[in-house]
Structures are given as structure tokens and as C-alpha cells.
Amino acid sequence: MRFIGSILVAAVLLTACTAGTTTPQMGADGKPLPKLYRISNHATNKIQFRILDSVNSLRQAAGTSEVAMNAQLIAAAETHSRDMSAQNRPWHFGSDGSSPIDRVLRLGYSGPLLGELISETYETELETLGAWMEKPDTRAILLDKRATNMGFAWYQESTGKIWWTLIMGG
């Protein structure tokens, strides 16, 4: 009886050790498939502040001043994220032929547009920011010393694909 009890305890302990560990699904390339990043409706403010804090931390480390979120730039970023999804391509021109300058002016932003960063991905906002920081041209926009304002928004499709847009203004 004692032997059977010991085996049962050992089985329970082994089960507890393996519970919660899952083997990631592998893609055709032999690498783990990414986990789907699903954005909930109540996460908007959290994501906005997380990206603002992250951008300002990067700017501070580079010796530049902080930026603030701007409602007009956010609205321009939201519009463009949805429009890229509708066009099913990441590019800087709207389906109506508008440029980033057109979109920010249309929404009443009076400062200079310093740049627009876009991405079509399944990655989180911080992974996307990291990818932008790796490229010299997009990094230059994020760290532009003239920047005082930022707009950041996204549109997530039902498939999980996310269309990110970040706009820097002076």
C-alpha cells in the first residue's frame, strides 16, 4: 500500500511539473510560430501610454526632449491604419490619394509633419517600435530633435493582422 501511495504521489508531482508547459507549434521553416497578439477594446489607453513612455525613454537616452500625444495626430494615424487595411498594403498614401501631410492638415494640425512610420504585422507595439529603431531612417524620425508631438494608432483585422501608424510632428 505504501508503494502504491508513493507511485501516486510521484505521478502527481510529475504531472504538476509538466502542467503549463506546452510545446510551441512549429512553422514550415522549423521556427516557432508567433503567438497571436489580440488587442482588446479596453487596452487602447494602455497601449497609447506604453508606446509614449517607450518612445520618450528612447528619446531621453538619445539626449532629445520628450514628445506628447496629440489628438489630431492620433486621429490621422487611426484613419491611415484603417485605410491601409482597406487597401491591404502598407504604404504612405491614402486610398483617396492623400499624403501624410494632407491627412494631418485635414485634421487641423498646424505644426510641421516630421514623419510617418507604418507597419503591417502580427507583432506587439513594442516589437514594432523595436523594428523601427533598428532602421536608420525610421529611427531618425523617432529621435528627431524637432519633434514635440506624436500620434499613434492601429487597426487590427479579424485575422489578427495589425496595421500600426506612428506620426511625429513639431
Side-chain angles (χ1 to χ4, degrees):
M1 201 54 145
R2 193 178 275 189
F3 177 72
I4 293 174
S6 296
I7 290 177
L8 286 174
V9 168
V12 168
L13 289 175
L14 285 174
T15 303
C17 290
T18 60
T21 59
T22 58
T23 305
Q25 285 188 311
M26 304 305 265
D29 59 0
K31 295 181 181 177
L33 292 173
K35 290 176 64 176
L36 181 61
Y37 180 56
R38 185 65 69 184
I39 302 172
S40 65
N41 290 336
H42 68 278
T44 299
N45 287 339
K46 290 177 186 175
I47 291 172
Q48 291 279 354
F49 288 118
R50 190 165 38 239
I51 202 76
L52 179 63
D53 288 345
S54 298
V55 166
N56 281 332
S57 292
L58 292 167
R59 291 177 61 81
Q60 183 181 23
T64 58
S65 59
E66 291 187 350
V67 293
M69 282 291 188
N70 176 278
Q72 293 151 325
L73 295 181
I74 292 170
E78 287 175 348
T79 299
H80 193 55
S81 292
R82 286 185 176 277
D83 193 42
M84 285 190 297
S85 172
Q87 295 182 70
N88 196 33
R89 64 178 169 178
W91 74 325
H92 294 283
F93 292 94
S95 56
D96 62 356
S98 63
S99 70
I101 294 171
D102 296 331
R103 289 189 294 277
V104 299
L105 287 174
R106 192 183 298 161
L107 289 162
Y109 185 73
S110 59
L113 172 73
L114 301 174
E116 177 183 73
L117 307 181
I118 57 173
S119 180
E120 167 197 18
T121 185
Y122 291 89
E123 295 178 334
T124 69
E125 66 279 1
L126 296 179
E127 290 169 320
T128 301
L129 178 60
W132 287 332
M133 285 297 289
E134 289 177 6
K135 295 181 181 172
D137 57 337
T138 53
R139 180 184 178 93
I141 292 169
L142 287 165
L143 302 179
D144 192 320
K145 293 178 190 255
R146 300 170 295 163
T148 56
N149 295 302
M150 183 177 89
F152 181 73
W154 63 90
Y155 177 74
Q156 186 167 36
E157 296 178 355
S158 60
T159 62
K161 184 189 293 184
I162 307 169
W163 301 85
W164 300 106
T165 305
L166 186 145
I167 302 173
M168 296 297 269

